[in-house]
Amino acid sequence: MSDCMSCVVRNRAICSALNPDELGALSKLGRKQVVSRGQTLVWEGDESLVVANVIRGVLKLGVSTADGREQIVGVVFPSDFIGRPFGKESPYSVNALTDAEVCIFTRSSFDDFAKDHPDLQHKLLQRTLDELDRARQWMMLLGRKTASERIATLLLEISNRLGNTGCSSIAPFLDQFELPMDRQQMGDVLGLTIETVSRQLTKLKEAEMIALPDRRTVVIKDRQRLQNLAEAA
Amino acid sequence: MSDCMSCVVRNRAICSALNPDELGALSKLGRKQVVSRGQTLVWEGDESLVVANVIRGVLKLGVSTADGREQIVGVVFPSDFIGRPFGKESPYSVNALTDAEVCIFTRSSFDDFAKDHPDLQHKLLQRTLDELDRARQWMMLLGRKTASERIATLLLEISNRLGNTGCSSIAPFLDQFELPMDRQQMGDVLGLTIETVSRQLTKLKEAEMIALPDRRTVVIKDRQRLQNLAEAA
DNA sequence: CGGCGAGTTGAACGTAATCAATTGTCGTGG
DNA sequence: CCACGACAATTGATTACGTTCAACTCGCCG
């Protein structure tokens, strides 16, 4: 791999646990890979052969039933970690929602490296704990929130995650952004159909909480009201 | 704390990563605590002050909205780990579903101990990854499965988790067991109301997939059909 | 025997799904 | 540049599943 030291996610990804020497060793095991929108990195049920850090772009983790129903169980952004280290098959597939770039490792080489680097494992543990908390918050959404509450929550979540680029000087969230997914995928994240997603977006627009200049762009016009709606008061 | 070496979850909890000396050191930091049904160990939103291992009994992790809707986001069984190590406030409350016994530590002392014991952190990481996978499977259930599929999945899940007592010689799942929760709590795990839970249980009974000798006891009469239903074919 | 809480069953309702038609957007080639 | 086709998104009408509200049953304990 080229140059970890100048990597844009150097200070946010789990690599931040490593000193320059260790980083050099890790970099020998991995390589950068470009992934184009729609491409699949890992298939659901396959043995977990690779892990990766996201450098650029957005990817989804998806689960599907035998009869074709689909649920997106995670969305990963730059600096996030992908994959299931330490054995096991992957219980979900990984797909690129946008063109993306990842820093990819074979699982076995990553596992070996991690065994000798407790600090890296510590970072990975913290990240996994955070991801678990996020998954549990989403369980509340899927189990108990109404359609409009779900949409409001998703828009705020994307705003926050796209905003947190780690550059501390920049705003922690964005009031205007591009959706990294289409309506069907929004439905798959929220446990709703495409039609319901569309209708609820229209309602939020009519209520002047958001604007939709084009189908991929969202402008948050009244964050407070959107927040109130999302928190299911 | 009394005697870790003779602890019933000694070989299944994260403690299994430790040698007898280390175990002795850890045991000085914790203590056994009995928790009776309904009692709350941790409140949602409070700073995370304690972590624990479950020795006996079943506990729930719950999230609730301002207007009183509730979602159970996790159910923990003997040998499972409870709590949010490494800072942060707990995003969920922890309640005993049955009378239980836990091995409890202050978060700060556990954190310190874990820092010096990479093997323990490794166990904890594996456990957290497993828990994350389970949470994601549950997201599929909450987002995409029908009421009857949800009930079938829950019954099989409880059967499996109660069966996996670690005693490898014993059956990996049980065909008869006591539900560790009431109808309301089943609803809160599944994102359903109490009435829907009741109706669907009646249907499974009428379809002869299960029997319900009394309101807490479940007998699985046709595991295969229940499995088919649960997997949403 | 009476009263209470948990659970079941029934009837009416409402939210989101489904089915269907239309509009809008983008990329391509004439 | 515009016409066209393909696909994404919106909008409308109807249906269905699970919720809500309400009555009733069961088991348990005083």
Side-chain angles (χ1 to χ4, degrees), chain B residues 147 193 196 199:
Chain B
T193 60
T196 302
R199 277 187 252 272

Coordinates of all heavy atoms in Angstrom, one line a residue, chain B residues 147 193 196 199, chain D residues 18-21:
Chain B
A147 N -45.7 -10.7 12.1 CA -45.9 -11.0 13.5 C -45.6 -12.5 13.8 O -44.9 -12.9 14.8 CB -47.3 -10.7 14.0
T193 N -47.6 -5.5 20.0 CA -48.4 -5.3 21.2 C -48.7 -6.7 21.9 O -48.6 -7.7 21.3 CB -49.7 -4.7 20.9 OG1 -50.5 -5.6 20.0 CG2 -49.6 -3.3 20.2
T196 N -51.3 -8.8 20.0 CA -50.7 -9.5 18.9 C -49.9 -10.8 19.3 O -50.0 -11.8 18.7 CB -49.9 -8.6 18.0 OG1 -50.7 -7.5 17.6 CG2 -49.4 -9.3 16.7
R199 N -52.3 -13.5 20.3 CA -53.0 -14.1 19.2 C -52.1 -15.0 18.4 O -52.5 -16.1 18.0 CB -53.5 -13.0 18.3 CG -54.9 -12.4 18.7 CD -55.4 -11.5 17.6 NE -55.3 -10.1 18.1 CZ -56.3 -9.4 18.8 NH1 -57.4 -10.1 19.1 NH2 -56.1 -8.2 19.1
Chain D
dG18 P -48.8 -8.8 11.0 OP1 -47.4 -9.0 11.0 OP2 -49.8 -9.9 11.2 O5' -49.1 -7.7 12.0 C5' -48.5 -6.4 11.9 C4' -49.2 -5.4 12.8 O4' -50.5 -5.2 12.3 C3' -49.3 -5.7 14.3 O3' -48.7 -4.6 15.0 C2' -50.7 -6.0 14.5 C1' -51.4 -5.1 13.4 N9 -52.7 -5.5 13.0 C8 -53.2 -6.7 12.7 N7 -54.5 -6.7 12.3 C5 -54.8 -5.4 12.5 C6 -56.1 -4.8 12.3 O6 -57.2 -5.3 11.9 N1 -56.1 -3.4 12.5 C2 -55.0 -2.7 13.0 N2 -55.1 -1.4 13.2 N3 -53.8 -3.3 13.2 C4 -53.8 -4.6 12.9
dT19 P -48.8 -4.5 16.6 OP1 -47.5 -3.9 17.0 OP2 -49.4 -5.7 17.2 O5' -49.9 -3.3 16.7 C5' -49.8 -2.1 16.0 C4' -50.9 -1.2 16.4 O4' -52.2 -1.7 15.8 C3' -51.1 -0.9 17.8 O3' -51.2 0.5 18.1 C2' -52.4 -1.7 18.2 C1' -53.2 -1.7 16.8 N1 -54.1 -2.8 16.5 C2 -55.4 -2.6 16.2 O2 -55.9 -1.5 16.1 N3 -56.1 -3.8 15.9 C4 -55.6 -5.1 16.0 O4 -56.4 -6.0 15.7 C5 -54.2 -5.2 16.4 C7 -53.7 -6.6 16.4 C6 -53.5 -4.1 16.6
dT20 P -51.3 1.1 19.5 OP1 -50.7 2.4 19.5 OP2 -50.8 0.1 20.5 O5' -52.9 1.3 19.8 C5' -53.7 2.0 18.8 C4' -55.1 1.8 19.2 O4' -55.6 0.5 18.8 C3' -55.4 2.0 20.7 O3' -56.4 3.0 20.8 C2' -56.0 0.6 21.1 C1' -56.5 0.1 19.8 N1 -56.6 -1.4 19.6 C2 -57.7 -2.0 19.1 O2 -58.7 -1.4 18.8 N3 -57.6 -3.3 19.0 C4 -56.5 -4.2 19.3 O4 -56.6 -5.4 19.1 C5 -55.4 -3.5 19.8 C7 -54.2 -4.3 20.2 C6 -55.4 -2.1 20.0
dC21 P -56.8 3.6 22.3 OP1 -57.0 5.1 22.1 OP2 -55.8 3.2 23.3 O5' -58.2 2.9 22.5 C5' -59.2 3.0 21.6 C4' -60.3 2.0 22.0 O4' -60.0 0.7 21.6 C3' -60.7 2.0 23.4 O3' -62.1 2.1 23.6 C2' -60.1 0.7 23.9 C1' -60.3 -0.1 22.7 N1 -59.5 -1.4 22.6 C2 -60.0 -2.5 22.1 O2 -61.2 -2.5 21.6 N3 -59.3 -3.6 22.0 C4 -58.0 -3.6 22.5 N4 -57.3 -4.8 22.4 C5 -57.4 -2.5 23.0 C6 -58.2 -1.4 23.1

